[in-house]
Amino acid sequence: MAPTDHRPLTLRDVSEASGVSEMTVSRVLRNRGDVSPATREKVLEAAKALGYVPNKIAGALASQRVNLVAVIIPSLRNMVFPEVLSGISNVLETTDLQPVVGVTDYLPEKEERVLYEMLSWRPSGVIIAGLEHSDASRAMMRAAGIPIVEIMDIDGTPIDAAVGISHRRAGREMAQAILKQGYQHIGFMGTKMPLDHRARKRFEGFTEVLAKSGIEVEDQEFYSGGSALAKGREMTEAMLTRSPELDFLYYSNDMIGAGGLLYLLEKGYDVPGKIGLAGFNGVELLDGLPRKLATMNAGRSEIGTKAAEIIAERVADPTKEVERIVELSPKVLYGDTLKRR
């Protein structure tokens, strides 16, 4: 893939788009001077449409770039992202680049604010989770003129480059593994889909394979907030009270899956004989559970490593061609909670 052809936007671009002078544009964007509300609105609308971000270090550096890499993730409470950050850090510490982390809480409007602030400091690159962003966020990234790597997911079209797994494929492969072991009465528990696009894609792939075998998810429950063992216990109890005939429980992540496992063992369920269960992510922290949870390894550290390598290579040589989409392969880990015939 050739490096991005987009040049960084300037005050002149905003001036031409809004039809006012560069000096007026500067006043509006710095919130200085006496400018009429109508003119201010015209300038701000033009800047947003273009994806222009004011340069807070204008004139400070000849390169107009600082040795920072903006890393934007949805959560620090989720056990998934520390491994990604570790992979990024391990690569960048061998360069002059430093990662700076922003958190979005899975909210598109917060992602816009975080991205806006980080780009205003003119970083050398951006690593951002996911492929789904608001129009304003996409415009800012396209106009930044720097390497952009979207991580964790490759089911979509990246702005610049993407590193991750296919979550639809991950859902399909887990469904195939479950059906192969003879489970037929399946319940699903996970995060609210509108906020977690990757969980939604796994669910889509999962239900697609079930449907081809004439099976539907018989019960499902969604929650908001951080992943937690207590939430997994609570949802598992509620679901089995409603639907005691279920013989498999599929969780959107390992933390709630671990909570479900602890509940089942406490209540004396035969796992995986009477009921099986699986999560997603392969979180090593849970290796100390009484039984090893079936899950799927999504290559989180490798994702961080590869994304940082792309940024570092492109910063060192802007003409360097890199892969546009780097797809890693998810792997089913059977553990002790998914039968193997």
Side-chain angles (χ1 to χ4, degrees):
M1 182 191 72
T4 177
D5 295 324
H6 297 295
R7 64 174 177 80
L9 295 173
T10 66
L11 286 178
R12 177 175 295 180
D13 295 303
V14 182
S15 171
E16 292 175 352
S18 61
V20 303
S21 70
E22 289 184 44
M23 182 176 293
T24 301
V25 170
S26 177
R27 285 174 181 167
V28 171
L29 297 178
R30 290 185 295 116
N31 200 26
R32 303 280 176 83
D34 185 16
V35 181
S36 72
T39 298
R40 183 177 298 277
E41 181 68 18
K42 185 188 298 185
V43 170
L44 292 176
E45 284 294 327
K48 183 173 183 178
L50 289 172
Y52 178 81
V53 179
N55 187 352
K56 290 183 177 178
I57 60 166
L61 297 172
S63 68
Q64 293 293 286
R65 297 287 170 208
V66 293
N67 288 335
L68 299 177
V69 174
V71 181
I72 302 174
I73 58 175
S75 174
L76 285 173
R77 292 180 296 177
N78 191 324
M79 293 302 299
V80 170
F81 295 104
E83 288 188 40
V84 177
L85 294 176
S86 178
I88 293 170
S89 179
N90 288 342
V91 171
L92 295 187
E93 69 181 7
T94 65
T95 72
D96 293 330
L97 301 171
Q98 291 291 330
V100 179
V101 179
V103 179
T104 69
D105 295 321
Y106 292 95
L107 300 173
E109 63 274 18
K110 187 171 182 181
E111 181 179 88
E112 277 186 31
R113 296 197 302 271
V114 170
L115 188 59
Y116 182 93
E117 288 300 323
M118 287 191 158
L119 288 177
S120 72
W121 290 101
R122 296 301 189 262
S124 294
V126 172
I127 297 174
I128 186 168
L131 293 167
E132 287 76 20
H133 314 284
S134 70
D135 289 343
S137 290
R138 295 182 70 84
M140 284 189 281
M141 286 188 280
R142 285 196 183 102
I146 57 176
I148 307 288
V149 183
E150 292 160 283
I151 59 171
M152 312 303 290
D153 189 5
I154 55 87
D155 290 320
T157 303
I159 292 166
D160 187 7
V163 179
I165 67 166
S166 165
H167 286 265
R168 289 193 178 91
R169 174 184 169 188
R172 289 195 296 267
E173 292 189 3
M174 182 58 78
Q176 289 164 357
I178 291 168
L179 293 177
K180 185 177 180 181
Q181 306 312 316
Y183 297 107
Q184 293 190 328
H185 303 286
I186 300 167
F188 174 83
M189 285 166 268
T191 53
K192 290 185 176 178
M193 298 303 183
L195 296 176
D196 191 341
H197 296 286
R198 292 176 291 284
R200 170 181 57 79
K201 292 173 185 178
R202 289 197 300 277
F203 187 67
E204 289 170 354
F206 186 74
T207 55
E208 173 192 327
V209 168
L210 294 186
K212 289 179 179 178
S213 297
I215 294 175
E216 296 182 358
V217 172
E218 295 183 16
D219 198 353
Q220 51 192 294
E221 187 162 337
F222 304 95
Y223 72 100
S224 57
S227 306
L229 293 174
K231 181 61 69 175
R233 293 176 68 100
E234 173 188 321
M235 291 196 299
T236 301
E237 180 178 13
M239 183 169 287
L240 291 179
T241 299
R242 287 195 307 266
S243 308
E245 73 284 357
L246 296 178
D247 63 7
F248 201 91
L249 302 176
Y250 180 41
Y251 301 84
S252 69
N253 63 67
D254 285 348
M255 294 305 290
I256 56 172
L261 174 60
L262 292 174
Y263 171 80
L264 293 172
L265 294 178
E266 180 183 293
K267 297 300 180 181
Y269 280 82
D270 174 10
V271 180
K274 177 177 173 55
I275 187 166
L277 60 160
F280 177 82
N281 276 322
V283 176
E284 293 182 5
L285 179 68
L286 301 180
D287 286 349
L289 289 172
R291 307 237 182 127
K292 199 172 183 66
L293 179 69
T295 185
M296 183 165 275
N297 185 346
R300 296 179 304 281
S301 179
E302 188 178 354
I303 287 172
T305 296
K306 186 61 181 176
E309 287 175 349
I310 291 173
I311 295 289
E313 289 171 4
R314 290 270 297 278
V315 169
D317 180 3
T319 65
K320 185 177 181 62
E321 294 190 0
V322 299
E323 292 181 78
R324 181 172 173 76
I325 297 178
V326 179
E327 180 177 0
L328 306 180
S329 298
K331 180 181 179 183
V332 175
L333 306 175
Y334 283 79
D336 303 316
T337 65
L338 176 54
K339 291 184 294 190
R340 298 190 73 172
R341 292 182 176 178

